[in-house]
Amino acid sequence: MEKEDVKPNYNRLLSAESWSSDLSSDSCEYYQTEIFGLLPSSQAHRRQDESLDKVSWNPNVPLRDLPVCLQDKRDIRDRQQLQKRSIGSWDSWRRSQEITRRRLKEHVGGVISGLLPWSHTLHKIEGQFGVGVKAYFVFLRYLLCLNLLYCVIITGSVLTPTLVYGKSSSINGWLSFQNCSFKDFFVGSGFLENSPVFHSFYTPGNITTGGSQKCLNTPILFLLGMISVIFLSIIMVVRRTVVGYKHSWFTGNRFSSNFSYKVFCGWDFCIQNPQAATLKQNFIKNELKMDLEEQTFQQKVQQRSLKHWVELIFLRVLLNILVLVLLGSSFSLIYYAIRWSQSKCGNNWAVCLMLEYLPPITMTTLNYMLPHVFSKISEFEDYSLTIQLNLTLVRSIFLKLASLGIYLFFFINTEKFAEPQKCRENEFGKEMYKLTIFNLLECFFNAFCVAYPRMLLVERFPSSKLAQLLGKKQFEISFNVLDLVNSQTVTWVGVFYCPLLPAISAVRLLFLFYIKKFTVVRCCAPAQRMFRTASSSVLFHFMLLLGLFMAVVTLVVNINSVILTSYVSRSRANRKAIERLKDMLVMQSSEGLYDGRKPPLPPPVTLGFVGTCGLRLKPVLSGPSEAYVRSEVQFDCAVPDWSSPLSYELWKDAGDLIATENNVKVSFSLQVTEESEGKYYCRLTDGGQTSNAIHFHAVIPVIGARLTSDPDPPIIYEGQKFVLRCLVRKGTHLSFIWYHNKQEVNSSSELHWLSGDTLTVDGASEVHAGIYSCTAQNQMTVNPRFSSSRNIHVIVKKHISVPTLSFTVFSNGSSLVANISCGSARGSPPVTWSVLLNGLELDVKRVDSLESWFVLPVSVGVDMGAARCQAQTDTQQLLSDPVQLHVVPVGGAVRVTVTYLHDAGGTVAAARLKCVPDRGTFPTFSWHLNRSSLPPEADAHAVTRHGQVLILTEVSSGFYRCRVRDSFNDSSAWVESEGIFVQKTDLSATPMEVIALVFCGFLSVVIVGGSVFMFTECKNNTCRHHSNRILAFYPRTGALEKLDEPILFGPSVALDGSVEDFYCDIPGKPVTLSVQYEIYLETNPGKVFGAHSSLSGEIATFPLVITTQHDGRLICKASGHNDTDIESSYSKPWEFRVIVPVGDVSIISHSSIENMWEGQTLTLQCNKTKGTYVTYNWFRNNVPVQMPYDRNEDTLTIHRVSAQNTGNYVCVASNRYNDTTIFNSTSDVTVYVKEYVSKPEISMDPVKLENGYYAANITCQSKKGTPPITFSLLNYTDAIFTETTETTSAFFKVPIELNRYMGQVSCNASNEGNWVLSDPFRLIVESVGGAVTMTPLKHVDLDFQVVGLELRCKVEQGSFPRYSWFLNNSRLVGRGRFYAVVLSDESKLLLSVGRDSAGFYHCQASDRLDNSTSVHSPKMLINKEVLNTVPLLVVIVVFTSFALLNVALIACCIYGVVLQSVKEHLCDSFVEMLEDFEEDAVQTDRMSDSAEDEDQSVDESVLYEGAVSE
């Protein structure tokens, strides 16, 4: 019973049923009414109240709807009671009936509104996520009700008559589920195709009653039902749009948010449920956020300048062009998706299903991605949030409706509808059915496969980078509304072809509501930015109106053919049939009677067919895509699976023929030049397709990299811009690597901006100073070339900070001198310093440091004035704060203050004593214990702050005194303080603390007693009423059982040995609550780093001397101070890193680098003695190691090393502190990789000995190999000579005979157990013999004149020939004025054709060993006239072609003249034919009239049947 008495009774004050209280009006008056009466916003309401006195009582206006306060409503109610007594019975009865009808109307309206589903859910969503999200769900509910209304109309007008009066065969057909499959449900085929879902189920016919009397026509019922649906949709959507627009217009531009009303009078005091109170609070907060954001944006718009407007308009134009490009691309993609969906799929049902759904998948993907892009674009256009939403909606709805329209247009014109065996309406309905089903699948997949896993990731792994990047999803109203509009448009478009589509859409919307509710409540976070939905709701319905318009247009276009074929009257059909039959009879009569000939037979039909047009072979071209200039590449061309030789051509770009080869598989060799870059392809000479194309890049090797700077030299001040460019002397297809202090600059960041060969720093700072270099390399996948620049030193000068001034005083004999120190904390020297006294400059110095000293004479006790320092650089001039140059001697009393420091147990752990003199500018201090002087440093105490503070780490009991005197005068007297007794005791309270404790205890007793008394008194009804009112304003909160989660914050990184402060606090904690805070490492809760007792609500501070033990995740534990009833709480982990500067790095090799052979594995470890969070960078010969490796690992491993890995390896270990301080430590080691000897090549050089015999100098040469190398010359398998050399070649001399085969020799090379054998070499030397031929090669100029000639000489027989050239039997040696003999064997002669070079040339070949034998070539006449003579064959071909061209031109002229005359003759004949035809037509008309009279007896029914059959 007591609980029932205490329970508050919440009653709502109704205007018509208000009650009078037995208390005074002052005590019962709401405090809310008093506040509202004082608000400025209530002044307008007061003016309305004055007018209410003059207005008679209108019972149709409830009191609660009047904009007046509660007391005024009571006064109006009293006046209404007085008016009731003065009126007659008839008026009284009439007014009572009006009140009754009004209340009944309100009650019925409340009942109807209560029938609306999901009211409580929508109210909860509104309070948590705002009005905008609620508007989406209200819109969804409206569409659901609309589709249910469609279902009622279609069921009554279409489905029920067909099922009740229709044919039983069609109904039983679709009820049999034979051969149904899983695919049928998604595609709408199979049993669904003949079901009431689609159009073909509703066959034309008449509905008959019990007899044979025809009642209604089913096509008419079907058409009327669909027209009813369309007209009902238009009426409802237009009505909602107009009403919403009127409301938006009234509250749009003239809307003024009343903040004071919402703050003070927005609460509903009838709320009883705590959850409802929370929702109401969120609702008010969201309203205030919307109002404030709108006003903030309006202020921002008013502050825009003309320049800002111009820039903004230009940006908006560019962004709108981008939107148009995206829309055009999406429409093209939809078109190609429709094309691909019509392709054959075979018997694979999965492939068929994917092809069927390819257009919906494409449309859904575009509709999902592009609105997000549009939303991001609208953010850059700087509109208000409501306009951004509406603009995104307009663009997205244009995308969705236009894509749907394009989909319908192209689908109607596809080949599927051209197939006669398929029902056109059914196929169209299937497409709308598939779009509806896929929309539901897409919503389900998006909710449970995207949004829900994203929410789980964020909630369970909040510290991961991916979770922080994604965050919780926000419910995007615009995109979800677009989905609803798009799906409803599909329903309207397909309702004629799929009559049950509204029912399917209703079921889909029902599922969609709960899916979206789950997504919003469980997977989404409340939006950070709120917006109003008045104008957005109007736009929602306007977009529905657009979709409805599209549906009506589509229906009118498609239904036109159906109406023409189904509802043409019978009389009109008979009349058309009779007319067609008359025409046939007239034609037959005229042709048979008047010509006297048989009707002409139709021309023979030429049947054309396409046979095999020939085998079209497609070759495949393979080869490199890049190569260096002056190298040779090879392209291979072949037809796959072809074994016969073919003729191939290699082409470049548009039409440059490179070469022609004939074989099964051909290879084209190409000498790479700068002009070789382009697109290459091959094809067959005698027909066939073109091969694939290879884009070939001719790469010029990079050389001569150098670095330039702007400005030059690179000396700048911080904040300025500098640009570095990496230039090369030669090279193409380049990429650039930048280094700063030997650290690679990986990519553009806040520090550097990389663009091609340029490195830009917009605002230089201290971190940008250092050594810069760049490396240019060719972008080649194989054997890239590098070129590194020289280092350039960038100096960044710092701006000096505001200078500070300090001074000290010392004695200079008989006078005092002030040593004034001027300095800046940061800056770059040199700096010009000057000291000013009372504004006058006393001294000036220019120094290369940030500090300077000045000496000025001073007097004790005399105020010299205000002294200031001035610092001046090239760009700055700063003044320090003034300091009074006044030296005050020590004097007055000296006091000592003591502060005890206690540990967690309450005992005294240390004491802090401070000596405070009354005056004195430069005092010196001395401490005494029991009249004994204390040294400045000892184990038990320490002196700080120039001796002013004494810290006792071990408290020794006794009397402590402090003595003070002037530091600059050793002869001055000491001023001594009184002794103060210090002892080590437990935590004790001072008398003032005792008084405070007693007072607090007394106050607690009074509070407890008063609470008991109030609890006893509150049992009566009067006090309970007051308590109810208090509880309505201040809801009760339960007893504190567990502390809220504390928040730990502080630095996230610190250096080892530094002192850092960490802070821990509980937000909203009562000030009177005492909390004990502890901080420890998450992995070691037993070791507490610090503790703090917060007795008065202050933030807990933990000063820690940082060591490596603090590295990890720190936890702050909050518990009740000496109160075990309060449960402890723990903060979230605070990631803290301790940086130990890296140092003492050395490289350790796990393999022998002194004896390293290629193919082995090289492992280098960068060992450090200290350092945390270290990254490692490896360099070889001052160039970064190109192979991939983990920079966080200290080991570099190279598998299968080669000679390219030889070099000096440097390991740079570094770690960073706050991205500003970098610690580096380096070490290097030299690695030499030995190479195994390669396969040797053997060559021979014969010589003639002095004794007349011959010998061969045989050379064995290897391209690589680390000496010593042992070479052996073998005759078959027997070793002839063996030699060990320190080079990669060896020489052997073997006797030979001319023209005799001496056998085969080979060369064997070996080192370190590896040996290789060369190819065998035939040892034979043949003498010169046979014919000698000269081959000329002409060089022509731009005018096709021969200006140069290249002659090559070759002898038919001879191993080592030597050639000689002769002009008119005179030998040509070396170089002359017009010739040059080149090559080692002098086999080539280069000539410059002119008058001096004319004559007879011949070539002579002889043995290089013996000139006794020689052979000559035939002589050749060479002069400029002979070489530039045009051949007779060319003359014949040119003149023949010219003659043929003239003949063809004359023939064309003759043909034109003849053709013109033929055309004129044909025109005359055609005119005569037309005149004859007109006469025949007149005669035909006369015959038709006579035939009509003869056929009056023909039965019209027969004609009708014939016409119908035709």
Side-chain angles (χ1 to χ4, degrees), residues 1124-1180:
T1124 58
D1125 294 335
I1126 298 178
E1127 185 179 351
S1128 302
S1129 61
Y1130 303 88
S1131 68
K1132 293 181 180 179
W1134 180 263
E1135 297 287 346
F1136 182 66
R1137 296 190 305 160
V1138 179
I1139 303 298
V1140 178
V1142 65
D1144 300 335
V1145 174
S1146 61
I1147 296 180
I1148 301 175
S1149 174
H1150 295 278
S1151 54
S1152 177
I1153 59 177
E1154 292 83 7
N1155 191 22
M1156 175 70 63
W1157 288 89
E1158 61 179 356
Q1160 296 181 355
T1161 300
L1162 174 63
T1163 302
L1164 301 177
Q1165 182 180 4
C1166 193
N1167 187 28
K1168 67 179 189 309
T1169 58
K1170 61 178 182 178
T1172 57
Y1173 299 98
V1174 180
T1175 58
Y1176 301 90
N1177 292 278
W1178 292 87
F1179 296 84
R1180 182 178 68 85

Side-chain angles (χ1 to χ4, degrees), residues 602-714:
V605 179
T606 303
L607 298 178
F609 61 92
V610 179
T612 303
C613 299
L615 191 59
R616 303 281 289 177
L617 301 178
K618 182 175 183 178
V620 176
L621 180 66
S622 60
S625 60
E626 55 189 14
Y628 286 111
V629 174
R630 297 182 181 177
S631 63
E632 186 173 343
V633 295
Q634 178 175 307
F635 293 99
D636 297 330
C637 187
V639 176
D641 302 328
W642 190 260
S643 58
S644 300
L646 298 172
S647 180
Y648 297 92
E649 296 176 345
L650 180 64
W651 293 81
K652 176 190 173 186
D653 294 333
D656 297 335
L657 179 61
I658 305 300
T660 303
E661 296 288 342
N662 190 305
N663 207 336
V664 178
K665 178 180 180 182
V666 299
S667 298
F668 299 99
S669 297
L670 179 66
Q671 189 73 25
V672 181
T673 62
E674 296 182 13
E675 291 77 17
S676 300
E677 186 163 338
K679 184 172 68 173
Y680 290 83
Y681 57 91
C682 71
R683 65 185 181 190
L684 299 176
T685 304
D686 50 355
Q689 302 182 28
T690 303
S691 71
N692 57 297
I694 295 180
H695 293 269
F696 182 75
H697 300 283
V699 182
I700 300 177
V702 59
I703 57 173
R706 59 188 178 90
L707 202 58
T708 62
S709 66
D710 181 19
D712 190 15

Side-chain angles (χ1 to χ4, degrees), residues 1000-1062:
C1000 290
F1002 174 74
L1003 185 61
S1004 300
V1005 172
V1006 172
I1007 293 174
V1008 173
S1011 301
V1012 174
F1013 176 75
M1014 289 184 64
F1015 177 76
T1016 305
E1017 291 295 326
C1018 281
K1019 291 184 178 181
N1020 57 70
N1021 295 331
T1022 304
C1023 189
R1024 182 166 61 250
H1025 173 69
H1026 284 284
S1027 66
N1028 292 341
R1029 293 178 62 194
I1030 294 173
L1031 289 173
F1033 278 93
Y1034 304 98
R1036 296 178 298 170
T1037 59
L1040 184 62
E1041 296 180 356
K1042 183 178 179 180
L1043 292 173
D1044 292 338
E1045 180 180 309
I1047 297 177
L1048 175 64
F1049 57 96
S1052 60
V1053 62
L1055 289 175
D1056 184 24
S1058 62
V1059 178
E1060 301 291 344
D1061 291 337
F1062 290 86

